[in-house]
Amino acid sequence: MAEKVEEFVLTTDIINDIEERENLGKILKRYEKIWFQNVRGVRKPYLTFAMSDNEFEEYIKCKINIHYFAEKYCQIKREDGTIGPMKLRDYQRDIIDLYTKNPRCILMASRQVGKTISAAIVILHFVLFNDDKGCMIVANKGKTVKEIIRKIKDIYKLLPFFLKKGVTNWNETQVSFENNSRIQTENRTKDPSIGFTIDLLYLDEFAHIPDNFIRDYYGAIVPVVSSIENSRIIITSTPNGFNMFWELMTSAELPEDDPMKNPYKAMRVYWNQVEGREDTKIKILDFKIKKYALSKSTILREIR
């Protein structure tokens, strides 16, 4: 078990002094070693930290307003390659609201629109500002779930010390905090993990998980999650033909009074909603026109 350091009260000024001496290569005293497993930016658990009045006010603002938390304190790798504060696009605000204001939600989005980084911020906010919460991340590939965990960890490491919870587990597939909240990942499988309470289930690239896996997994996991009070299920994916994701998405978009409407709140984000995204031109191939006995005028009329 991690050692409790109660005799030494940390403040931001003390943290800054420790980091400055670290940068100079100076030897620190035992109680000044504030990083979990010596990973810079990862707060050791059970440290005693005294917030200033301003920090306490900022903490409360972040707790009650996830948009404020994201834009003021979540630093990410931007499109120009630099690291800096995140600037939420309008549709990303809508995505975050979708994730946080609905117990069941489903998002269909084009690639590179920021859906994964939005989910990473929502999951990190959920575990930092709530005790005893379990988050499960499931995706089509092990590489995908590890990438989501990496994004969460990268954002966490760059948060100011007063917003961090101490870490008790820090690896590629699981992150746990001193407030007993944790994030766990799972590769595609027909059978969900047993013995892990899931308050937030995030299913990413749902349409790309083979139907013979996802139908069994979904049928087994949803009753488990639904049995938890105030639980959330977030489903996201790029489109991939007619499959279970398509069924859930189209049912979610039905009118509220339709008996076939499912409990999900649906949203779509298209590639052209990203500012600066280049337009895509359609090239008509003559040999394809001849093969299918079509004409250019017919094709142009259909796509307009």
Side-chain angles (χ1 to χ4, degrees):
M1 180 181 290
E3 180 184 1
K4 292 190 177 182
V5 183
E6 298 179 344
E7 69 278 7
F8 186 60
V9 179
L10 293 164
T11 64
T12 295
D13 286 341
I14 293 174
I15 296 295
N16 291 339
D17 178 66
I18 289 172
E19 289 185 314
E20 185 177 343
R21 286 188 284 125
E22 275 184 319
N23 291 336
L24 295 172
K26 295 190 176 180
I27 297 175
L28 301 176
K29 296 178 181 178
R30 179 186 59 82
Y31 58 81
E32 292 179 319
K33 295 180 180 180
I34 57 176
W35 306 124
F36 179 70
Q37 296 179 346
N38 295 318
V39 180
R40 189 78 176 265
V42 182
R43 177 173 168 170
K44 186 185 290 186
Y46 314 120
L47 298 174
T48 303
F49 181 84
M51 293 186 192
S52 67
D53 290 343
N54 181 65
E55 286 170 341
F56 181 73
E57 290 177 4
E58 288 297 296
Y59 182 90
I60 297 301
K61 286 180 183 177
C62 289
K63 181 180 175 67
I64 64 178
N65 188 339
I66 189 171
H67 293 168
Y68 182 83
F69 170 74
E71 292 199 307
K72 182 154 187 183
Y73 293 108
C74 291
Q75 298 193 64
I76 63 168
K77 187 173 183 179
R78 297 178 292 202
E79 292 180 356
D80 61 1
T82 60
I83 303 293
M86 183 175 186
K87 177 62 177 175
L88 293 174
R89 303 181 179 113
D90 289 342
Y91 70 80
Q92 282 182 303
R93 289 177 171 272
D94 294 336
I95 289 175
I96 289 174
D97 286 343
L98 177 77
Y99 292 165
T100 56
K101 295 182 179 180
N102 300 282
R104 304 288 181 268
C105 61
I106 183 167
L107 170 70
M108 187 184 81
S110 300
R111 298 191 183 280
Q112 303 299 317
V113 299
K115 69 178 178 64
T116 304
I117 198 69
S118 299
I121 290 170
V122 167
I123 292 169
L124 180 60
H125 186 274
F126 186 70
V127 294
L128 288 182
F129 294 98
N130 293 282
D131 298 338
D132 302 306
K133 297 297 183 183
C135 297
M136 176 68 78
I137 302 172
V138 181
N140 59 324
K141 299 176 183 176
K143 181 180 178 181
T144 304
V145 293
K146 288 179 181 179
E147 177 65 14
I148 297 168
I149 284 284
R150 186 189 65 78
K151 288 180 184 294
I152 292 170
K153 292 164 76 172
D154 286 349
I155 296 170
Y156 170 89
K157 288 167 71 175
L158 293 174
L159 290 174
F161 198 86
F162 73 90
L163 285 179
K164 296 176 180 177
K165 286 288 189 289
V167 170
T168 58
N169 193 359
W170 185 264
N171 59 50
E172 286 187 331
T173 60
Q174 186 176 22
V175 179
S176 303
F177 299 92
E178 62 188 352
N179 63 351
N180 203 33
S181 288
R182 59 243 180 259
I183 304 166
Q184 185 168 312
T185 65
E186 191 166 64
N187 294 340
R188 70 187 196 194
T189 175
K190 290 185 178 182
D191 301 312
S193 295
I194 298 173
F196 181 81
T197 301
I198 303 174
D199 298 278
L200 190 158
L201 174 65
Y202 177 46
L203 299 164
D204 190 34
E205 291 301 350
F206 192 99
H208 297 267
I209 303 175
D211 256 21
N212 62 323
F213 284 93
I214 196 58
R215 288 188 185 274
D216 289 341
Y217 183 88
Y218 183 84
I221 198 68
V222 167
V224 174
V225 179
S226 298
S227 67
I228 306 298
E229 187 177 1
N230 298 321
S231 63
R232 301 187 205 171
I233 298 177
I234 300 171
I235 298 176
T236 65
S237 188
T238 51
N240 189 35
F242 297 97
N243 47 36
M244 190 176 185
F245 178 76
W246 175 83
E247 292 170 9
L248 291 173
M249 187 73 194
T250 52
S251 294
E253 293 177 322
L254 293 172
E256 291 294 333
D257 58 353
D258 192 307
M260 300 302 293
K261 170 83 169 70
N262 64 31
Y264 287 90
K265 179 73 173 178
M267 179 179 170
R268 298 185 184 218
V269 177
Y270 295 101
W271 62 271
N272 58 358
Q273 290 179 249
V274 181
E275 186 177 349
R277 185 68 59 87
E278 292 183 1
D279 194 4
T280 301
K281 305 300 181 185
I282 297 175
K283 185 175 182 180
I284 301 174
L285 303 176
D286 290 335
F287 78 94
K288 289 288 188 181
I289 291 175
K290 291 178 181 178
K291 180 179 178 180
Y292 296 104
L294 299 171
S295 67
K296 285 187 178 181
S297 60
T298 301
I299 295 171
L300 292 172
R301 184 171 64 250
E302 289 298 323
I303 63 177
R304 281 171 182 164

